[in-house]
Amino acid sequence: MVSNKERARRAIDAMTALGFSKKESTPVLRSLLKLFDNSWEPIEDECYRALADAILDSRDRPKEPEHGSHHARMVAPEEDHHQPSTSLIVYGHPRDLDSEIEAPRIKRPRTNSNNFSADHCIDPQLSPPSSVTAQERARQMMDEDFQHAVFLREPKPEPDIDVAQSLHDAQVGIVSHPFNTSSSGAADPLASRPSVQNQTEISGNKGRPVQHCRTRTSSTSFVERTGSMGKQPQNRESLSDHTAVMHNTGTGSADERTQEAPYLHTVVASSTMGDVKMSIECNIDPSKFCMPSLEEVFRMVEDKCLHSYKSLPPNFSVSSLINEICQCVAQLANGSTAEYNVQSDSFDNGRNSQKESMMSGAALMKPIASMNSGGMKYKSVEDSLVLETSENGQEYSTVPQHLALSQVRCTHDVSDISKGEEKVRISVVNEFGSEKCPPSFYYIQRNLVSPKAYDNISAAGIGDEDSCADCFGNCLSAPIPCACARETGGEFAYTPGGLVKTTFLDECFSMNLFPEKHHKFFCKPLERPRNEALPEPSRRHLVRKVIRECWSKCGCNMQCGNRVVQRGIACNLQVFFTQEGKGWGLRTLDELPKGAFVCEYVGELLTNTELREKTSQKACKAGYTYPVDLDADCDSEGVLKDKEALCLDATFYGNVGRFINHRCYDANLVEIPVEVETPHHHYYHLALFTNKKVEAFEELTWDYGIDFDGDKHRGGTFQCLCGSRYCRGRKGRNRGKAAAK
Ligand SMILES: C[S@@+](CC[C@H](N)C(=O)[O-])C[C@H]1O[C@@H](n2cnc3c(N)ncnc32)[C@H](O)[C@@H]1O
């Protein structure tokens, strides 16, 4: 026979092990003993659970004022003892206990049991036991309580879920089932699963504690139906006593399920530890079953998607889609809608790893990674992607892809049009019209390079002499500027603060605005075979000022001050609908200083011939092409024939640069060619920098350099609505005269 003293010591020891001090446990133990008529069993049961609960409750309970500590707490008149209560409250301050005793308040879980309706508020002083002894009542209380999870003392019913359904479906997130808790002991693991009344294990993350629960009404941290078949009944008997959370999103009719679509359920289960498990159940004939590799499955799904939708974004993959689903689960589960469109690494489809490999690759222009998309292959070329000829040897053609794209409905994410491709979120707003978002296009952060364009730029090559392999850290802090500054006259174009130096900037601006004042020349006349169509007449070109950034062959790091454009967009931008009728535009949300990098103009890098082929297609005749010539250095030794010259077209693939509207003369952006991967001027990045201080919310504009009177811009000219007093594109006006003076 164990003495009371020993029992008390054990109880206190058990509480100490749980982290409760002796000082805290002792009075609560005393109080409980009193409540249970000095019966130890209800206290010792379940490893002193009642005691632990009571201590926790005593912590929750506000301290009684000193003067009342010896008296029973008066229950307020509105607290009707005999009303069925949602929680069972025990207030006890036995008069004969010393003042340090704090009465435990044991909250009970909600229950529908009528047996307890009269006893839900028990005070040894105010509600003396009736026909049941205190011990019996305590037992009842414990029995009732133990049907609920230890740490889930006030489970709240799911508000909008049908009760019967929720009893059936909604359980505490359960990830695994201990197969030894069932009495059946059957060999079949499914048969041996515990019934709902049995204890079920919820596995936490590796090494994390395991919780136990016994009832169906405990809290489910996250459960949401993801399909339209929200209330579809469980259609497999074995699942009805399956204690995991189940949310059936099976689609199609039962017939479809058994004949064509073996898909039965999507199961989403969560544990209170925050783990979420999703699984898909299929009903497959076991006689024909041979487990395929996940890779095979993904590939097949991707092919099927491609077949159905005709076109997929270049970075589409099923595994990324799954990652994206997980992120959405996590975000919705946390209720963090504000974070809804935070850059998603999971959906970058290996872009980051691809970027890493691009940066680490030594050979210039060597394709490193490839992805399947729409019969074409996209290869990364250092900073860009190359569209490859399809495997059956057919000539590269963008047409089917683009036509398909033009039919795709809008899939833009208005909280971030880049869908996480950029480091910053770029929202879309329309304060003036009904169009919610811009027409479809694929957001790309880097140029896509066509195979022909690739041939042209790869011919350029690059030598070590064009990089600074001996540098380290930040080239801008070196005492003597390195080889990468050669292009800009032995001086870096950037300030240590990451802005383009004013003198350099002003010169670029002036060159773009008043080319006549600068060196301008015509390309050599083109030689062409007799049977070939006439090429476009050669146009005058300007030798532009170019910035050369350090790159992966250089010894410096990514934080080097001579790497600005390659680090991507850093300012807060927004795509918005313009009031003046220019369609969508781009604005800055922050004030920007003069010389700040805003964004690149990103698109498909094509030869002029490819562009012409493309623009002859119907879809492009509508006039929404956005080609920009890359003609910064037409006169250099490796002069390209005009048809081989390169341009960037952002009609179908582009970044935010495609939203920048034109403004005559006094635009606030200036384009500067920036070389990163190659010193050859045929291919460079078209970077846009502020040429003056720009106020927050000001529209960002760029002078396209359109000669509204002369040559027709390839996408077709438009009536200029820039609003500039120097506007040269308005019909029936003395355009641009002011500026020309
Ligand atoms: C590169 S996009 C700019 C984004 C375009 N506003 C949109 O909604 O997608 C060029 C096209 O925008 C329109 N645009 C740009 N600047 C304009 C201006 N100053 N006045 C009228 N339309 C303009 C023209 O239709 C032009 O072909």
Side-chain angles (χ1 to χ4, degrees), residues 570-586:
C571 49
N572 288 312
L573 303 173
Q574 186 174 60
V575 175
F576 74 109
F577 200 78
T578 61
Q579 215 172 348
E580 307 84 13
K582 296 178 292 186
W584 296 90
L586 187 70

Side-chain angles (χ1 to χ4, degrees), residues 655-685:
N655 72 340
V656 278
R658 76 193 292 288
F659 292 108
I660 302 176
N661 286 315
H662 161 86
R663 187 172 172 96
C664 299
Y665 292 117
D666 60 358
N668 48 25
L669 299 181
V670 60
E671 85 224 49
I672 301 181
V674 175
E675 294 167 0
V676 179
E677 308 86 356
T678 163
H680 210 286
H681 297 179
H682 301 317
Y683 175 56
Y684 50 83
H685 298 262

